[in-house]
Amino acid sequence: MSDLAESAVQAALVDRLTKHDLGWRFLGPGDLPRQLDGVMLEEYVSEALIRLNPVIAERPERIEEVLPRLRATLLAVANDGLVAANEEMTAWLCGRKTIKFVDTDDYVPVRLIDFDDPRSNRLVVSTEVTFAPGHEERRYDLVLFVNGFPLVVGETKTPISKHTSWLNGANDIYNGYEVKTPAFFVPNVLSFATEGKDLRYGAVRQPGETWLPWSRTTDELLLPGMASVLRSAELLLAPEMVLDILRTYTLFSRRSSTQGGYVMKVIPRYPQVEAVDSIVERVRDTAKRQGLVWHHQGSGKTLLMAFAAAKLRQQLDLDAPTILVVLDRLDLIEQVQGEFASVGIPGLKVGETKDQLRRLLKEDARGVIVTTIFRFKDAGLLNDRPNIVVMVDEAHRTQEGRLGLDMREALPNAKFIGLTGTPISTDDRNTWATFGDPDDPDGVLNHYSVERSIADGATLPIHVETRLVDFHIDHDALDQAFAELAQAEGLDERETGIVAKRASRVDQIMKAPDRIAAVCADIVEHYRSKVAPLGLKAQVVAFDRELCVAYHDAITALLEPGEEATVVMTTAKGDPIEWDTWDRDRDAEAKLKDRFRDVDDPLKILIVTAKLLTGFDAPIEGVMYLDKPLR
């Protein structure tokens, strides 16, 4: 601790956790039953093993067959790395590990935590906890133990220094504690940092600058200060929330890059948790058939659906529901498959064709099925079971027409949950009418607004800069030249009108070679001066496929050695055969995305048509150059 102001922040947090009905009990560091090199409070771990496992209560000496396995998981961090060791320990903490004791014939699951009654666990908060394995020694400002496992680590900073913020604390954890003393973070659910003005949290090996706040979508946006910090603490650090994040909302996502594969731990944002709870409640409500989740674009709706599926599968009263995830693009299926598998939903099924989907539903398949809305075309009745939950991604796009009706006819008793970032209300399309319930506030089951998302730092604001290319049309000269051409060719009034109509099409103007050269020169100059120095990349959205190819050639000619641009588009019948090189299959497109996400890869600029924009809409922070007519 550096000063009294920092001590006051720490004391206020402990007071809120212990004296406001949150269930935590304070023990000073000297009162904890541990040695300085111990991660677990083994006395409390042993108590939990006896209390939660009848087979161990029957023969308490069986504890000695469990503890060595837990210790080995802690020690494995030296070879396996922190994320891998944390994933293994998470499986232990969630009761997914089994043991065949020496005097038994069968493997039995081992319970370490009571998730059904969180307050029945031994909940301890302590401060200034020292951990000294070997030559390293670190002291953690605040630690929350559940049944002897340090599930939360907090770092506090002084509120009175203008040079210090929560980010300093987050970086202390990320760059210092997790690197120098990783074993202590093997059981970690989350860490947080605060300077008494703002509180941010993150998962193991999550860089501090990406940590986010915790709140509630119905709360007012509070000004920075202790009131905001304590509100975040009571919401995030309640035992029920910590344990729910551990069991339901912890995801280990397999990712790939040009350097190879890696695993990243993901924990939820508060609007995701709120939306999942609302979805579960709506599914249980026998009087309601649908609900609309309106979360701003980029707020993680794919993960939200994965978390919702995991929680729905935990509800015994729902009798093993079928959870149908309906997408509007085939290229999203692999992404959804990966995310769902990493959240602990094995055996996910894909209805990639009409026949596959119909077979799965008619055969009463349970678990999670991923498909697209187009597979319901003229399907007829497929399954009338009531415990089918349909989660529709991008609910504003393709659900209001015939396809949406076909889907509801196929599953007449299902619950329909629509997820959208941009609901639509027009004469012929209305997302609220299709998925909303009139009894919900504003017709929405859960709403995470763009204003709150930007305030949280979960979404970056969009800055629009109009680029003025010095390319102009001399209308008088053009009219005179056209009149002379018509006279020279002997065109009558009707023929002149036809030619004028064709020549004045916007694509003809946009594809003028001089305009292409001017636009691409401006893009490259702006990218090199304003974007590349920040280590960012860019997308160019072109009017159509022909313009994509033309832009690629012009931009490539202007790039320096070691810089690349490429085109992402789907070709059509009659397109030049040389365009086939840009029409990639899913595997090739996935590798291209990995290259574009890699800041060190020479691929710097993607050129896409507006139709394919959504496939690459947020791979990294960067700049989008839009060159198409706006409606």
Side-chain angles (χ1 to χ4, degrees):
M1 300 294 294
S2 60
D3 57 31
L4 291 175
E6 185 176 337
S7 299
V9 173
Q10 188 184 95
L13 284 168
V14 170
D15 180 80
R16 182 56 59 101
L17 294 175
T18 58
K19 297 179 182 178
H20 290 75
D21 194 32
L22 289 181
W24 298 98
R25 182 169 68 95
F26 177 75
L27 283 180
D31 298 323
L32 297 174
R34 63 182 290 268
Q35 301 297 318
L36 293 185
D37 61 352
V39 174
M40 302 180 292
L41 310 179
E42 293 195 2
E43 176 185 324
Y44 297 166
V45 176
S46 299
E47 290 176 359
L49 285 169
I50 292 172
R51 185 173 71 253
L52 299 174
N53 300 274
V55 68
I56 296 176
E58 177 185 285
R59 299 279 298 275
E61 62 271 20
R62 288 173 175 158
I63 290 173
E64 295 307 319
E65 296 183 56
V66 180
L67 289 179
R69 288 173 167 83
L70 297 175
R71 297 185 192 117
T73 303
L74 296 173
L75 294 173
V77 70
N79 296 319
D80 299 342
L82 179 52
V83 175
N86 184 258
E87 182 176 13
E88 179 74 6
M89 183 61 81
T90 296
W92 276 105
L93 294 169
C94 291
R96 298 197 292 265
K97 290 292 186 177
T98 61
I99 289 182
K100 182 179 179 295
F101 294 100
V102 294
D103 55 353
T104 61
D105 296 327
D106 300 319
Y107 284 88
V108 296
V110 176
R111 295 180 65 201
L112 297 169
I113 293 174
D114 187 346
F115 290 97
D116 297 326
D117 185 7
R119 300 293 177 103
S120 70
N121 299 290
R122 187 186 282 266
L123 308 171
V124 171
V125 56
S126 190
T127 56
E128 304 300 322
V129 176
T130 300
F131 180 54
H135 299 296
E136 292 291 342
E137 179 176 316
R138 289 294 185 277
R139 187 171 60 189
Y140 315 121
D141 291 341
L142 192 145
V143 180
L144 274 61
F145 294 90
V146 176
N147 290 348
F149 294 96
L151 300 189
V152 177
V153 173
E155 183 73 5
T156 57
K157 294 296 181 182
T158 178
I160 61 176
S161 172
K162 65 180 180 180
H163 303 295
T164 303
S165 75
W166 64 266
L167 184 56
N168 298 91
N171 286 334
D172 285 349
I173 292 173
Y174 176 75
N175 294 318
Y177 302 159
E178 291 181 358
V179 174
K180 298 296 185 180
T181 55
F184 199 85
F185 292 83
V186 170
N188 186 269
V189 174
L190 61 92
S191 296
F192 72 88
T194 180
E195 81 288 58
K197 302 173 186 175
D198 196 3
L199 184 148
R200 300 289 178 114
Y201 73 100
V204 293
R205 304 316 300 144
Q206 180 179 346
E209 60 268 19
T210 65
W211 289 21
L212 290 171
W214 192 274
S215 184
R216 184 172 285 169
T217 58
T218 53
D219 282 2
E220 292 184 8
L221 289 170
L222 297 176
L223 294 174
M226 187 56 71
S228 172
V229 169
L230 296 180
R231 178 60 174 162
S232 296
E234 68 182 18
L235 293 172
L236 174 63
L237 303 179
E240 293 80 4
M241 184 56 66
V242 172
L243 295 186
D244 205 17
I245 290 173
L246 171 60
R247 180 173 65 163
T248 306
Y249 298 100
T250 293
L251 181 155
F252 292 90
S253 182
R254 270 66 186 170
R255 305 292 177 92
S256 60
S257 70
T258 51
Q259 282 74 43
Y262 65 99
V263 180
M264 181 174 71
K265 180 176 180 179
V266 179
I267 55 178
R269 303 169 183 173
Y270 69 88
Q272 292 170 329
V273 174
E274 281 188 30
V276 168
D277 288 342
S278 297
I279 290 171
V280 173
E281 183 179 352
R282 178 55 46 89
V283 170
R284 281 208 175 100
D285 189 341
T286 58
K288 304 288 186 182
R289 281 203 61 203
Q290 61 190 37
L292 179 63
V293 175
W294 178 10
H295 281 201
H296 181 59
Q297 292 289 98
S299 58
K301 287 187 288 296
T302 301
L303 291 179
L304 192 162
M305 290 190 293
F307 292 140
K311 191 147 191 175
L312 286 167
R313 284 163 54 90
Q314 294 170 5
Q315 312 307 310
L316 298 179
D317 59 305
L318 296 182
D319 189 25
T322 296
I323 301 160
L324 200 63
V325 177
V326 179
L327 310 171
D328 70 336
R329 300 204 321 272
L330 280 172
D331 61 311
L332 289 175
I333 287 180
E334 290 181 354
Q335 174 189 340
V336 170
Q337 278 183 285
E339 300 292 13
F340 275 52
S342 62
V343 81
I345 302 178
L348 181 142
K349 306 170 186 68
V350 178
E352 196 159 349
T353 67
K354 293 180 182 178
D355 291 340
Q356 287 175 335
L357 177 64
R358 293 173 188 186
R359 185 179 68 254
L360 287 168
L361 290 173
K362 286 184 176 181
E363 293 176 355
D364 213 24
R366 305 299 173 107
V368 180
I369 301 172
V370 180
T371 190
T372 62
I373 182 67
F374 308 102
R375 303 300 170 241
F376 285 97
K377 186 176 180 352
D378 301 324
L381 176 65
L382 296 178
N383 197 311
D384 60 1
R385 203 161 29 86
N387 63 335
I388 296 176
V389 182
V390 182
M391 291 190 289
V392 181
D393 190 24
E394 301 297 351
H396 61 282
R397 285 186 180 163
T398 55
Q399 315 306 321
E400 283 92 350
R402 184 66 244 176
L403 289 172
L405 294 175
D406 286 345
M407 181 171 63
R408 283 167 166 77
E409 290 171 3
L411 307 168
N413 297 316
K415 295 293 182 79
F416 289 90
I417 306 296
L419 298 97
T420 182
T422 52
I424 295 172
S425 178
T426 63
D427 291 340
D428 60 341
R429 299 177 68 189
N430 192 315
T431 314
W432 282 275
T434 305
F435 287 99
D437 188 282
D439 294 334
D440 292 331
D442 298 320
V444 177
L445 190 61
N446 185 260
H447 182 206
Y448 186 50
S449 68
V450 58
E451 294 82 8
R452 185 173 286 274
S453 182
I454 291 175
D456 288 344
T459 301
L460 294 176
I462 296 175
H463 299 283
V464 179
E465 176 185 346
T466 301
R467 305 294 297 168
L468 180 62
V469 176
D470 189 19
F471 181 84
H472 305 281
I473 297 175
D474 188 334
H475 295 282
D476 293 337
L478 184 63
D479 290 342
Q480 181 179 349
F482 182 76
E484 293 172 356
L485 175 64
Q487 184 178 8
E489 295 294 331
L491 301 179
D492 59 25
E493 185 176 347
R494 184 184 65 83
E495 292 170 332
T496 300
I498 292 173
V499 173
K501 184 176 180 180
R502 290 180 179 177
S504 61
R505 283 168 41 194
V506 67
D507 59 331
Q508 297 297 324
I509 298 173
M510 297 184 76
K511 293 170 186 174
D514 289 348
R515 180 187 180 278
I516 290 172
V519 168
C520 291
D522 184 66
I523 287 173
V524 172
E525 187 280 328
H526 182 265
Y527 170 76
R528 184 161 288 124
S529 63
K530 299 291 181 66
V531 181
L534 300 176
L536 305 180
K537 298 190 177 185
Q539 292 182 48
V540 177
V541 185
F543 176 73
D544 62 11
R545 298 190 301 279
E546 184 180 351
L547 205 53
C548 279
V549 176
Y551 278 8
H552 170 267
D553 295 343
I555 288 174
T556 298
L558 296 170
L559 293 178
E560 296 178 351
E563 295 179 329
E564 295 178 26
T566 193
V567 174
V568 180
M569 69 182 191
T570 302
T571 56
K573 184 178 180 180
D575 285 344
I577 192 169
E578 59 266 23
W579 289 9
D580 289 348
T581 187
W582 311 122
D583 195 346
R584 301 171 178 82
D585 60 23
R586 287 192 209 167
D587 288 340
E589 191 169 298
K591 292 177 181 177
L592 186 67
K593 289 181 181 180
D594 290 337
R595 291 190 62 198
F596 194 51
R597 292 185 180 104
D598 186 348
V599 68
D600 297 319
D601 192 277
L603 178 58
K604 305 299 183 184
I605 298 176
L606 278 181
I607 304 165
V608 302
T609 61
K611 182 178 179 181
L612 289 182
L613 173 62
T614 52
F616 287 82
D617 55 358
I620 59 166
E621 294 176 316
V623 172
M624 181 179 296
Y625 298 95
L626 191 69
D627 190 60
K628 69 184 190 70
L630 297 178
R631 294 178 178 87

